[in-house]
Amino acid sequence: MNRRAFFSWSVAGLAAIWAAVGVSLGAAARFLMPSVFYEPPQTFKIGNPGDFSFGAPTLLPDEKIFVFRDQEKGFAVASAVCTHLGCTVQWFSSDDRFHCPCHGSIFGTNGEVAHGPAPRGLEWFEVTQARDGQLNVDKTRIVPASYRLMVKV
Amino acid sequence: MKNRTPQFFFALSLLVLALLIGAIWQASSPSWKTYQSQFYRLAAQQEPTAAAKDAVLRSRVSIRQVLLPGLQRVDRCTTCHLGVDDPTMAKAAQPFTYHRNVGPHPVSKFGCTICHGGQGLAVDKTNAHGRVEFWSQPLLTKDYLRASCGRCHKEGDVPGVPELAEGRRLFETHGCRGCHKLNGVGGSIGPDLSEEGANHRQPEWLKRHFLEPNALSPSSPMPNFHFTDEQARVLTFYMLSLTSEQMGAYYSSVRLIPSPEFGRKLFTERNCIACHSVGGTGGRTNSPDLAGVTKRHSIGWLDEQLVNPEMISPGSSMPAYEMNSNERKALIEFLNIATVDDARQILMGRPKGLTVEAALIEAGKQNFSRFGCVGCHGLQVQGGLPNPNSQGGEVPSLLHVADDYTKPEVAAIIRNGKMPPLADAKGPAPPLYMQAWRQMLTDEEVSRIVEYLWSLQPKKDTAW
Amino acid sequence: MNKLQEVYRSIVRRDPLSTEKGKAELVFLNVWLHIHPVKVKQENFKVRHTFYLGFISFYLFLILVGTGVALMFYYRPYPAQAYQDMKDLQFVVFLGSFLRNVHRWAAHGMVVCVVLHLCRVFYTGSYKKPRQFNWVVGVILMLLTLGLSFTGYLLPWDQLAFWAITVGTNIGGYAPLVGAKIKEILLGGHNVAEGALIRFYVLHVVVLPSLVVLFTMVHFWRIRKDGGLSRPVWKLEGEAAGQNAPMSQPLVQIGGAAAPPAPLRKGTVAAASKDKTYGLMEVVTGKPLFETIGPEESDDEVFSFPYAFYRETIAFLVTLISVMAVSLIWNAPLEELANPAKTPNPAKAPWYFLGLQELVSHSAFLGGVLAPTLMVGALLAIPYFDKNPSRRLASRKRAIWVFTAFMVVNFVLIVVGTYFRGPGWALTPPWVHVTGHE
């Protein structure tokens, strides 16, 4: 075979090899991405609407969230994790504020920073009603503080 | 240089690329993704608005799992079985069907495999349902599913699963322990059954084995007990519940509250009425009346009394009946409500009153049954089981044991075991033998068995 | 554009590959390729001479390292987690089951190829002077390969793994004096348990691969210094029978003559050719390494680029394709979780030790001590006790027969152990399928 033909076959071969290398790198990247997480789930059910009281928010310490229930406006779920360095904040009915015991950050009823070193307000998570009537919280979906879920009880 | 080398090189490199893409394609299209997309389409149909439909259709396609460190497992069944907690899917076809009657066992806390069996770590149907070689707990069919209740609820009876209690009763009364160990107590002639439920015996295999042991285990010396089909079924239930789950505190703390009916059954079986009257009926004068006893003593005291009567009430002739904690709770529940009518009803079932000695002999009889002696020596203590190459060729009857031995000799045989004398000294050892029970029975229990055996002797005519 | 060219020229400094100088520089200026000589002899690269078994063994090792490192991202070497991680690799990790399959089949393939390579080197007499020590290095590499396979065998922590290693370490424990101590060091105890798992993991992932790399470097280096790949037997006609390998480069002559020189006498300097370039290492006193000074180029010399590189690449592609194809079709085995209380009947060592297990079933001393010691000892001794300088099959009949018999016996023992031994190690025909459970 002449030089030209030889040249093109080997170039084509090299091209295929480089393509294989590229595909392998892509596959390697996908390989390293975990398909399952050995962590508590980010979406979970917290119970039936009737389980939650009106007025002061209910703290769920394992899930680190506060569940607000308002007679007129419905349900809202806020993160209980202080945005400063991650401590769990507490609700005080005396001044209707969240207080962080670690460095004194204070958050208002909408989660906004009222005082202290926290850089941002508390996050609000999407809460929906699942098909079996229970409330479903999705921590991967952040919603504005005004978000409310109305449920028929 | 060979002329065709460059083409060869090109062909091979193309083949590598093709195989690589093939492997990636195989890994990227698992069946669970298809099922998830199908489910979202189904769920979207039920949404009222187009926006809601859209939201459902855009749901993430990913592996779902329930982490259960307290049960030492991870269940990924909900990757395909997405409708288990969705009542609107009650009419949907599998794998999307809603799971009714989950009750106090939500999927998020219990997963699926603890009851249903199967391989929780897998995400394709065949492997997940566990019907593969090398997975010891395949999916249980509907017929035997309720046996799983006994995996956690080990003590007492389980509402809705009478098979477990009945199977257990048959096990205890037919002397299975004589050859099979269960939780450390029993003989070594047959396999240890403590984990039989996790041994990947299929339920049908177990049932057939109860009906015809030698059909499935040709060289086994296990006798045919001539169980009925129903008896074999309930025994299979009991076998399937025998697993040793290591459960975290949350799971082991949750127990059924045992029913007073169960306590009544125990009260009757153990012949408490022989010594203790209730409201003045039954019993004998030296033993306390049990009506209202739960108001006179704390539950803890009563519980301890049942475990160790000698220690609580020194000098008491009440035997320690070996009940587990749930049985004791049930008994105490019954005593809480027992009235003189109960006592009368129970007494009516008995032909005559029992003396203390008779009660102790009764305890010995129950030991003889529970520890499996009846398995070899027969339900009527008649012996007769074939035992090749032993002198006499069969397991001896114990009805005349008092003729040939003294009581201490018999006690020693029970404690230390005995190999039957060989018919042919050069032949193989007989498969059935008396093993040493001293590690498993207290001296008390041994002497009660001896007393029971002596009680079987026909009364000798003193005047010859 | 000029900037790009400047950057390119700073990295790639050789002449274009169309020139002879460029072809040479590609090899000796490149860190990855310079183990090769600039020119190779065509006949040495014929498939029917070496079957590329050495190359294939090396490629399999590379594939094993690549897939092995990938698997390490998901595998935890502790009994409580190992089996679950194997299941995760099988079911939820992207390409997890494919990578595990590749790793397993490449491992078995490497053991087979290494043994076949040993056979080939023996049959072509390529272990003879001056290549004796390289043969020894090769035997060491073979033992390291078996060690890697054995240590890796335990890692899935299933019944197959657990009991194979129990049997294997017990066979090793039969060695007198040191056996018990070595077993204790391997297991970190007296039984296979979590101590054994972590030790086997470290051996498998760090210690043994490092040793393989080091010895491979010696092995490849010795190939060059011994005069390159051995000549195929059919090429020995042209050169004197029993020819020992010369250096590949003639010595330098200062000043030049144009004509190709006649065969040389000992002590003379080869004529230089004016269209060649030579590199001079150093000038010292002393005798040359090899007594004979080789003639000018053989009639079948070609540049490594592209001749040798093409063939090596093709060999790599064939190896890769074979392993990938097998991995797409057949899954590596994974049995139930390891259960120390439940011995499968029969419990078998990994297949390459089944010959020894078969011998052990007759006599522990024979199978556990005598046979392995004799085998390894005999292999190591071959090049030093073989006085026959000839490499031709016809002149080495006895050696060929003895070696072949040895290989066949081994093969038969392994086949018997694999297919003809059932419960209780009783002879069972292979079509009687025995499971450990109903």
Side-chain angles (χ1 to χ4, degrees), chain A residues 3 6-7 9-11 17 26-28 30-36 38, chain C residues 23 70-71 73-74 84 88-89 92-96 99 306 310 313 317:
Chain A
R3 212 178 182 88
F6 161 79
F7 185 62
W9 281 114
S10 46
V11 164
I17 291 200
R30 174 63 187 91
F31 169 78
L32 289 173
M33 292 194 249
S35 305
V36 291
Y38 282 90
Chain C
K23 291 185 175 124
L71 291 169
F73 278 95
Y74 285 100
Q84 183 175 324
D88 274 355
L89 279 165
V92 298
V93 173
F94 182 75
L95 285 180
L99 283 171
Y310 245 129
T313 310
L317 292 177

Side-chain angles (χ1 to χ4, degrees), chain A residues 1 6 9-10 12-14 16-17 19-20 23-24 27 35-40 43 45 131-132 138 140-141, chain B residues 1 3 6-7 9-10 13-14 16-17 20 24 43 46-47 60 63 65 67 74 76 85-89 121:
Chain A
M1 102 162 60
F6 161 79
W9 281 114
S10 46
L14 269 175
I17 291 200
V23 168
S24 300
S35 305
V36 291
F37 295 92
Y38 282 90
E39 297 158 4
T43 47
K45 295 204 175 125
R131 298 275 182 78
D132 58 354
D138 186 347
T140 63
R141 297 193 131 128
Chain B
M1 149 139 57
N3 278 341
Q7 281 119 310
F9 169 63
F10 171 66
S13 45
L14 215 55
V16 167
L17 188 59
L20 188 58
I24 290 175
Q46 299 172 355
E47 291 295 324
R60 218 174 12 228
I63 296 177
Q65 67 179 25
L67 277 178
V74 176
R76 298 184 174 131
D85 54 0
D86 186 345
T88 66
M89 290 285 164
L121 286 163

Side-chain angles (χ1 to χ4, degrees), chain B residues 197-246:
Chain B
N199 214 359
H200 63 133
R201 308 281 184 202
Q202 300 289 341
E204 289 310 320
W205 186 97
L206 285 165
K207 184 163 172 229
R208 185 139 179 256
H209 200 279
F210 282 117
L211 292 170
E212 293 174 277
N214 282 306
L216 293 175
S217 305
S219 55
S220 154
M222 173 163 165
N224 190 332
F225 285 89
H226 302 292
F227 289 121
T228 65
D229 201 75
E230 178 60 17
Q231 285 179 322
R233 190 181 77 92
V234 303
L235 278 165
T236 304
F237 260 70
Y238 183 56
M239 287 296 110
L240 288 170
S241 74
L242 294 176
T243 58
S244 56
E245 304 293 341
Q246 286 165 309

Side-chain angles (χ1 to χ4, degrees), chain C residues 55-84:
Chain C
F55 279 114
I56 292 175
S57 303
F58 179 62
Y59 296 144
L60 286 171
F61 180 70
L62 293 179
I63 291 172
L64 285 165
V65 170
T67 52
V69 169
L71 291 169
M72 281 171 79
F73 278 95
Y74 285 100
Y75 173 82
R76 290 168 294 177
Y78 311 103
Q81 283 106 0
Y83 187 73
Q84 183 175 324

